């Protein structure tokens, strides 16, 4: 699954984690010294004090440069360590997707600040009619449109590149398996493993991986923002004043939901796995019947379909209470911000702009912390695909060389 697309997967992903930790350490220790030597911000930001360029302050320009350098420098050694056929997609492609996600998170952070200023302006306009000039109101909306339009193109580009990325991964898996087809063809549902499961695995891992990276980047950017906004919150209901109160509320809420849903949905991966087994047996009999008249007899079909029905009904039952708990939690989480801000709102301690900043930042932090909650159905399906492919790959001779794909 991974070996066909990534060079030395265990070493590759392990070194990626270590390299990320090193980059963070360098940034917080030697970052200022490096900035004075290699930063391009004097060229990129000639008007560093100009508020009209919120993304291009000196420090922002250095941050962007550092992230781009750190991500692509990791790619360079892998070109020489193992000249993998899919290097440009698996290594450089992964790095490029990460950088585009980083750019999107930066836009969301800027929008959070804009919400605060704009909704304060809106509050002033509503409470004191005529106090806000039309050019200020419309100017803010026009300015945010200049930011939102490129971000829309960025999101479309991310989806386009990741679609190609998934197909390349599927292609790598496809020809890896076909190279060992004599060892695999006797396995029940072998054709489905190559044709369907390879596609579903690549798509599932890419989707969950992108969402995970995006969630971690969002946490890195919005946790400090939410911690700072917590200083303007007077107290929490029943608890009182707590430093970084909103961060703790988001952490406890997300942790509670994750643990509960993991416990409630513990049986679902096994049922999804069994579901594919009974479906494969039923499909195989029908395929044989296309060429042989003595196959797919009523009695046989009845028995096979009964297995399919039995497993589906079990699956429906267990998803019933899982979805009940998940929906209840999701609905309750929509009111957590209003509950946490209750004392501050009643005391009139915050403005509408601050409320919007808090609500947006809290929502992004909580949704990032709720990664497992939001992704649990997809994780369940991916686990079942992973189990099937692991069983499938067990028939491939160990330490077999990578095949040369015909495309």
């Amino acid at each position: 699954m991974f070996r066909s697309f990534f060079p030395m997967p265990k070493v590759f992903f392990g070194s990626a984690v270590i390299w990320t930790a090193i980059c963070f350490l360098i940034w917080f220790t030697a970052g200022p010294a490096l900035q004075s030597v290699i930063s391009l911000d004097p060229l990129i930001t000639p008007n560093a004090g100009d508020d009209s360029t919120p993304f291009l302050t000196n420090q922002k320009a250095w941050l962007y440069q550092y992230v781009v350098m750190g991500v692509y420098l990791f790619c360079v050694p892998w070109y020489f360590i193992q000249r993998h056929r899919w290097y440009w997609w698996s290594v450089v492609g992964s790095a490029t997707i990460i950088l585009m996600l980083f750019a999107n998170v930066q836009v969301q952070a800027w929008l959070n600040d804009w919400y605060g200023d704009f909704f304060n302006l809106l509050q002033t306009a509503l409470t004191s009619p005529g106090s806000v000039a039309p050019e200020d109101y419309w100017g803010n909306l026009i300015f945010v449109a200049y930011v939102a339009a490129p971000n829309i193109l960025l999101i479309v580009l991310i989806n386009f590149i990741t679609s190609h990325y998934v197909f390349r991964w599927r292609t790598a898996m496809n020809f890896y398996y076909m190279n060992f087809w004599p060892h695999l063809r006797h396995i029940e549902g072998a054709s489905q493993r190559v044709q369907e499961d390879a596609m579903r695995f690549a798509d599932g891992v890419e989707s969950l991986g992108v969402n995970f990276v995006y969630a971690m980047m969002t946490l890195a950017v919005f946790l400090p923002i939410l911690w700072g906004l917590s200083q303007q919150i007077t107290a929490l209901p029943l608890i009182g004043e707590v430093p970084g109160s909103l961060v703790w509320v988001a952490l406890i809420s997300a942790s509670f939901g994750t643990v509960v849903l993991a416990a409630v949905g513990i049986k679902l991966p096994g049922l999804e796995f069994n579901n594919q087994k009974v479906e494969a047996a039923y499909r195989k009999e029908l395929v044989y019947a296309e060429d042989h008249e003595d196959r797919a007899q009523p009695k046989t079909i009845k028995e096979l379909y009964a297995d399919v029905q039995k497993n589906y009904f079990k699956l429906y039952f267990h998803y019933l209470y899982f979805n009940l708990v998940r929906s209840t939690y999701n609905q309750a989480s929509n009111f957590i911000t209003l509950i946490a801000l209750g004392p501050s709102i009643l005391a009139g301690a915050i403005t509408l702009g601050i409320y919007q900043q808090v609500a947006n930042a809290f929502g992004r932090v909580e949704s990032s912390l709720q990664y497992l909650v939001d992704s649990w159905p997809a994780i369940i399906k991916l686990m079942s695909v992973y189990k099937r492919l692991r069983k499938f790959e067990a028939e491939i001779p160990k330490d077999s060389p990578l095949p040369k794909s015909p495309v």
Side-chain angles (χ1 to χ4, degrees):
M1 288 171 277
F2 291 97
R3 182 170 175 253
S4 60
F5 191 58
F6 293 95
M8 303 168 63
K10 291 183 179 179
V11 179
F12 176 79
F13 290 109
S15 62
V17 173
I18 295 172
W19 179 250
T20 301
I22 291 173
C23 287
F24 271 104
L25 181 63
I26 294 175
W27 173 260
F28 288 109
T29 55
L34 284 175
Q35 182 177 7
S36 63
V37 177
I38 64 174
S39 176
L40 300 176
D41 60 87
L43 299 175
I44 300 174
T45 58
N47 301 316
D50 189 351
D51 292 336
S52 64
T53 56
F55 296 106
L56 292 178
T57 62
N58 281 351
Q59 193 61 24
K60 287 282 188 180
W62 166 233
L63 172 64
Y64 304 153
Q65 178 188 342
Y66 182 82
V67 171
V68 172
M69 288 171 51
V71 170
Y72 281 129
L73 279 175
F74 174 76
C75 301
V76 174
W78 286 102
Y79 183 80
F80 303 97
I81 293 173
Q82 186 184 61
R83 194 69 59 85
H84 200 280
R85 186 198 184 285
W86 297 99
Y87 167 84
W88 292 105
W89 278 102
S90 63
V91 181
V92 180
S94 299
T96 302
I97 292 172
I98 288 173
L99 288 176
M100 290 192 294
L101 293 174
F102 172 78
N104 181 254
V105 171
Q106 292 300 313
V107 173
Q108 300 305 322
W110 178 85
L111 284 173
N112 192 69
D113 291 336
W114 180 86
Y115 283 133
D117 295 336
F118 182 75
F119 277 89
N120 281 336
L121 183 74
L122 189 63
Q123 184 178 24
T124 302
L126 292 173
T127 54
S128 302
S131 61
V132 175
E135 55 268 23
D136 290 337
Y137 180 81
W138 296 112
N140 270 277
L141 292 177
I142 293 172
F143 187 71
V144 78
Y146 285 134
V147 176
N151 192 51
I152 292 172
L153 295 177
L154 175 64
I155 294 172
V156 172
L157 186 60
I158 291 173
N159 292 332
F160 177 79
I161 292 178
T162 52
S163 296
H164 277 273
Y165 181 93
V166 169
F167 191 82
R168 263 61 175 197
W169 192 348
R170 176 191 176 183
T171 302
M173 292 177 64
N174 181 82
F175 288 109
Y176 180 83
Y177 291 148
M178 291 309 297
N179 187 72
F180 300 103
W181 186 247
H183 300 278
L184 303 173
R185 60 185 303 273
H186 67 280
I187 299 175
E188 183 180 20
S191 58
Q192 181 196 6
R193 304 291 177 261
V194 175
Q195 186 268 329
E196 181 181 345
D197 285 351
M199 178 269 293
R200 294 179 64 187
F201 179 80
D203 184 62
V205 172
E206 180 275 332
S207 177
L208 290 171
V210 166
N211 290 339
F212 176 76
V213 172
Y214 188 79
M216 293 301 101
M217 288 182 176
T218 301
L219 280 178
V221 171
F222 278 90
L223 269 178
I225 294 174
L226 190 60
W227 188 277
L229 290 171
S230 296
Q231 297 177 3
Q232 303 187 55
I233 306 304
T234 55
L236 294 176
L238 305 178
I239 298 175
E241 296 185 8
V242 178
S245 56
L246 295 175
V247 174
W248 293 112
V249 171
L251 180 61
I252 293 171
S253 170
S255 300
F256 173 78
T258 300
V259 172
V260 169
L261 286 179
V264 172
I266 194 170
K267 291 187 176 182
L268 294 176
L271 289 172
E272 288 282 359
F273 176 71
N274 291 335
N275 197 54
Q276 291 299 318
K277 287 176 60 178
V278 296
E279 285 280 19
Y282 180 58
R283 180 171 48 249
K284 184 177 181 179
E285 185 67 20
L286 293 176
V287 170
Y288 279 139
E290 292 178 358
D291 299 320
H292 303 280
E293 294 183 1
D294 59 328
R295 302 302 294 262
Q297 296 300 311
K299 182 179 179 180
T300 304
I301 288 297
K302 185 177 180 180
E303 292 176 353
L304 291 172
Y305 196 78
D307 291 337
V308 173
Q309 175 178 293
K310 181 180 179 181
N311 198 78
Y312 266 109
F313 285 2
K314 279 187 178 180
L315 204 58
Y316 295 156
F317 171 74
H318 288 287
Y319 265 114
L320 174 66
Y321 63 78
F322 174 81
N323 287 331
L324 175 63
V325 174
R326 184 167 178 255
S327 297
T328 302
Y329 171 75
N330 287 337
Q331 287 295 320
S333 65
N334 292 332
F335 297 93
I336 290 177
T337 307
L338 289 172
I339 295 172
L341 294 179
S344 301
I345 293 173
L346 295 174
I350 59 175
T351 63
L352 182 60
I354 293 176
Y355 170 77
Q356 284 298 130
Q357 282 185 300
V358 169
N360 184 63
F362 185 88
R364 293 196 173 277
V365 169
E366 188 180 39
S367 64
S368 297
L369 291 171
Q370 289 174 345
Y371 169 78
L372 290 177
V373 174
D374 297 333
S375 304
W376 195 245
I379 292 173
I380 289 170
K381 294 182 183 299
L382 182 62
M383 288 172 65
S384 67
V385 175
Y386 177 80
K387 286 182 178 180
R388 294 195 301 274
L389 288 178
R390 285 293 293 173
K391 186 176 180 181
F392 189 61
E393 290 182 357
E395 300 297 324
I396 298 176
K398 294 183 179 181
D399 301 321
S400 300
L402 282 172
K404 292 183 178 180
S405 301
V407 296

